[in-house]
Every structure is written in structure tokens, then in C-alpha cells.
Amino acid sequence: MGKYLNQKPVLVAVDCIIFGYDGDQLKLLVIKRAIEPVKDKWSLMGGFIGEEEDLDEAAKRILLELTGLHDVYLEQLHAYGRPDRDPIERTVSVVYFALIDINKYSKQINDQYHAEWFKLKEVPELIFDHNVMVKAAMDKIRYQAALHPVLFELLPKRFTIPQLQALYEQVYDAPIDNRNFIRKITASGLLIKQTDKDKSSSRRGAFYFKLDRNKHKAQFQSFLNFIPKTSK
């Protein structure tokens, strides 16, 4: 078969938004763009899809090539196709976001493209419409976190209640009452208490917990109870 008549080709790119949590701060991983235009400006991880690739394959390849990351939680977010979003050629971008425990994957990340972590409130101005993409990803994560244990992708397998609370507060950009949070999370039965403690922050220490994923499936909307009512 021939080509479609009177149709101009459009480039398809994939951009990856990498959120990470180090046990204290929620962060975004960005790189210095390696090509013109806007070379050396801060950018999400992105690249063009290959002729023989599907979108998921391209996202995994781009993530691996630009950061060294692999085998991480990766989810398709949205497609951006404003005609003037790229000053060189008409380009449609399909966006993915990833959630990682920074400490777990720190050894994978390479520095070939000067990948750097920024706290969410300190992210520099990004190229093109990448800031818009990041905001949309955060909106999606907040929605999903109300129904699914998606934020636990940002935590190690074992974590403390203070770490969990700090993560929720940063995701929703709102404070959570400590006693109320502990009471609700304990009553939910969704966490499995471990026998040992994390004593890195205090002599008394805080017990480690694990998420009971099987029990969470039976209580699908449990996490709605923990969202701050003043969330933005």
C-alpha cells in the first residue's frame, strides 16, 4: 500500500517524568538537554520513538539511555500535541511518569546527561511545556493515591509512619494531624507492623511497617481517609 495522500508526517516523542522520595523529600529528576534547540536547559527525559517501537518500549529505552533507570513503576499519563509546542518540527509527545525510592535506585542513575534531583518546590524552569506535564502528573498521582497504594512505590518495602505521613503531606501539599493520621492508619489494618525500629532520627525510634497489599485490595477506597481535607 502507498502512503496517505496530502498528509504531512508528525514526529512522536516520549517524555518521562521521574518522581522520587528519599525518606524525607519528594523530588523530581531532570537533565540538561543534549541537543538544540535550548541545549543545556533543564528538561524531562525525552526522545523520539523508533520505527519499530511501541510507546511503552520507547519510554523504557529512553529512561534507560538518559538516566540508567530500569525496572521501575512507569505509567502513561497523557499526550501533548499543541502545534507550536516544539519550535523545530510538529511533535506530539506521549508522557509517562515513574515513581521510585531514590535510595533503592541511586546506584542505577548515571551522570552522562547531568541528571539531578530537585525538591518539587525548587524545580527550575523546564523547556517547552514540560512544567505543564509535571503539574498534570502530580494531579494524576493525587487522584490515584486516594484509591490505590501507588505512593508506596516511592517507599522502601519497610518504612515508618513518620515517613509515610511526610510523603502524603508533600504529595498533597498540606499538613496532616499526626495523632489523627496514626489512629486512622492503625485502625485500617492495612499495615503490617515489624518487630524492629528505625533509630536514625531519635533514641526512642519508630517501628517499621509493611503494606498488606492483599488486604488493601479488599478495602479499595481506604486511602481516601488519609487525604488532607485542605489539600490543593
Side-chain angles (χ1 to χ4, degrees):
M1 293 180 64
K3 295 183 178 181
Y4 291 109
L5 297 177
N6 303 319
Q7 298 298 318
K8 293 183 178 180
V10 175
L11 294 175
V12 178
V14 169
D15 286 299
C16 298
I17 305 172
I18 316 301
F19 294 104
Y21 187 59
D22 62 6
D24 180 51
Q25 294 290 330
L26 183 63
K27 298 178 179 180
L28 179 72
L29 186 66
V30 295
I31 61 172
K32 290 289 186 71
R33 182 173 164 92
I35 61 174
E36 296 290 357
V38 291
K39 183 180 179 181
D40 292 328
K41 299 295 184 181
W42 290 112
S43 168
L44 296 174
M45 277 56 70
F48 295 105
I49 187 171
E51 290 186 7
E52 303 299 324
E53 288 182 316
D54 66 24
L55 290 169
D56 289 353
E57 290 171 346
K60 293 175 182 177
R61 173 184 57 79
I62 290 166
L63 194 61
L64 180 62
E65 289 179 354
L66 297 186
T67 67
L69 289 169
H70 58 86
D71 298 325
V72 301
Y73 178 91
L74 196 62
E75 180 177 333
Q76 189 178 127
L77 173 67
H78 190 63
Y80 291 80
R82 198 180 68 234
D84 61 349
R85 64 172 302 276
D86 188 310
I88 300 299
E89 291 190 69
R90 176 71 192 275
T91 304
V92 173
S93 175
V94 180
V95 179
Y96 285 74
F97 69 87
L99 303 174
I100 69 170
D101 168 13
I102 292 176
N103 297 317
K104 178 180 177 182
Y105 290 95
S106 60
K107 292 182 180 180
Q108 282 190 20
I109 298 175
N110 63 48
D111 60 0
Q112 181 179 356
Y113 295 96
H114 307 286
E116 187 170 335
W117 289 105
F118 286 93
K119 297 177 184 178
L120 280 189
K121 292 188 176 181
E122 298 176 2
V123 174
E125 187 67 25
L126 304 178
I127 67 169
F128 305 156
D129 48 3
H130 288 190
N131 288 95
V132 175
M133 295 174 179
V134 173
K135 182 181 183 304
M138 281 303 303
D139 289 342
K140 179 68 175 293
I141 290 168
R142 287 170 182 144
Y143 172 78
Q144 287 195 340
L147 302 175
H148 307 287
V150 64
L151 295 189
F152 288 86
E153 299 291 342
L154 293 158
L155 291 166
K157 288 185 178 180
R158 302 192 320 153
F159 51 87
T160 66
I161 297 297
Q163 286 177 330
L164 179 63
Q165 180 175 334
L167 176 57
Y168 268 84
E169 288 178 334
Q170 290 181 51
V171 167
Y172 289 97
D173 194 18
I176 299 176
D177 179 75
N178 179 264
R179 292 184 179 181
N180 195 37
F181 185 81
I182 293 175
R183 178 180 60 80
K184 286 183 176 181
I185 197 70
T186 302
S188 71
L190 295 172
L191 301 184
I192 304 171
K193 189 175 183 179
Q194 307 299 289
T195 57
D196 53 335
K197 292 183 175 183
D198 171 22
K199 295 187 177 181
S200 61
S201 299
S202 68
R203 182 181 301 177
R204 183 180 180 183
F207 279 104
Y208 285 110
F209 289 82
K210 288 183 178 180
L211 174 68
D212 188 334
R213 295 182 181 275
N214 291 328
K215 185 171 290 186
H216 182 267
K217 291 179 181 178
Q219 301 180 36
F220 186 69
Q221 294 184 324
S222 297
F223 279 79
L224 284 171
N225 296 323
F226 309 123
I227 296 175
K229 293 183 180 179
T230 57
S231 62
K232 298 179 181 180

